[in-house]
Amino acid sequence: EDQVTQSPEALRLQEGESSSLNCSYTVSGLRGLFWYRQDPGKGPEFLFTLYSAGEEKEKERLKATLTKKESFLHITAPKPEDSATYLCAVLEAGNNRKLIWGLGTSLAVNP
Amino acid sequence: GAGVSQSPSNKVTEKGKDVELRCDPISGHTALYWYRQSLGQGLEFLIYFQGNSAPDKSGLPSDRFSAERTGGSVSTLTIQRTQQEDSAVYLCASSEKYEQYFGPGTRLTVT
């Protein structure tokens, strides 16, 4: 069964303490992998798309990387405003544009 | 430019009543998606539209749920004879290619 698994479920960091979130996936063919950020009471906010193994994308303190079976979201020197739930989703090769979503990692950054 | 908008932002209804939720996608986006998110849970796919047709409606929980899209733009999600388990945040997203952009959601409470 196609699925997306995110770990850890929750992560608490001190301000400035770098870490990584993991998204592992099992699909028969990957068209794209997506990272989103969701703040409480809001819709998910698009961050990155990765299409092929070895690809990397960066935005401020965030860097996303992709291998054939997993993706990492690296957070460098996080600030309290980085606190949010980070969601990973996968688009399988084919005509269906439905994303397969992970359950997210809830990140809290303490000042 | 304008993002995805949803109305109403909050809806409280009595069990057994029908409700309509509206989504205005980003102009020019051909695909539109409906999701449901219960408190502390992941995103549950409901249906997606490509233009005015729905290639995948596999996520609709029961025949009480229906959706339509007219003119390749606005979409309405209708829930008939609402039940307490329908209480959740209903999120709409639109896309031009693969990345989905979300609205703020409609919080539905069934009393």
Side-chain angles (χ1 to χ4, degrees), chain A residues 14-86:
Chain A
Q14 288 299 121
E15 184 171 2
E17 178 187 3
S18 301
S19 188
S20 297
L21 312 182
N22 178 265
C23 172
S24 63
Y25 60 92
T26 53
V27 294
S28 56
L30 180 71
R31 179 176 288 186
L33 184 142
F34 307 85
W35 282 99
Y36 286 81
R37 167 191 172 129
Q38 186 173 26
D39 292 293
K42 296 188 176 183
E45 175 190 348
F46 170 74
L47 294 174
F48 303 111
T49 306
L50 301 167
Y51 292 105
S52 56
E55 189 175 0
E56 298 183 353
K57 294 274 180 73
E58 281 190 71
K59 179 180 179 180
E60 296 180 352
R61 295 176 292 283
L62 301 177
K63 182 168 83 171
T65 61
L66 180 65
T67 71
K68 287 189 176 179
K69 290 298 178 188
E70 60 190 348
S71 176
F72 292 93
L73 185 65
H74 307 278
I75 304 176
T76 302
K79 298 182 178 182
E81 53 262 43
D82 295 322
S83 298
T85 295
Y86 290 85

Side-chain angles (χ1 to χ4, degrees), chain A residues 31 34 36 38 43-44 46 49 51 91 95-99 101 103, chain B residues 33 35 37 43 45 48 50 56 58 95-100 102-103:
Chain A
R31 179 176 288 186
F34 307 85
Y36 286 81
Q38 186 173 26
F46 170 74
T49 306
Y51 292 105
L91 179 64
N95 292 326
N96 196 319
R97 291 174 66 169
K98 182 174 78 174
L99 296 181
W101 291 85
L103 295 179
Chain B
Y33 308 78
Y35 293 90
Q37 189 171 38
L43 289 172
F45 168 81
Y48 96 88
Q50 183 63 46
D56 191 336
S58 62
S95 70
E96 183 178 18
K97 195 179 179 186
Y98 301 131
E99 295 85 1
Q100 296 181 17
F102 284 80

Side-chain angles (χ1 to χ4, degrees), chain B:
Chain B
V4 178
S5 61
Q6 294 186 244
S7 60
S9 55
N10 281 284
K11 177 71 176 179
V12 180
T13 190
E14 292 180 353
K15 178 182 172 181
K17 295 284 181 69
D18 298 351
V19 295
E20 282 190 355
L21 312 180
R22 177 187 168 107
C23 173
D24 279 274
I26 293 171
S27 178
H29 281 194
T30 57
L32 185 148
Y33 308 78
W34 283 100
Y35 293 90
R36 180 168 73 174
Q37 189 171 38
S38 301
L39 190 62
Q41 301 299 307
L43 289 172
E44 177 187 3
F45 168 81
L46 298 178
I47 186 172
Y48 96 88
F49 291 90
Q50 183 63 46
N52 291 335
S53 62
D56 191 336
K57 52 179 79 170
S58 62
L60 294 177
S62 73
D63 57 10
R64 297 187 295 106
F65 288 72
S66 63
E68 65 175 12
R69 188 179 186 196
T70 56
S73 182
V74 171
S75 177
T76 303
L77 177 69
T78 301
I79 308 174
Q80 295 179 310
R81 305 181 302 281
T82 52
Q83 304 293 313
Q84 288 188 330
E85 60 263 28
D86 299 334
S87 295
V89 174
Y90 289 80
L91 290 161
C92 174
S94 70
S95 70
E96 183 178 18
K97 195 179 179 186
Y98 301 131
E99 295 85 1
Q100 296 181 17
Y101 296 88
F102 284 80
T106 293
R107 181 174 299 277
L108 175 66
T109 303
V110 182
T111 61

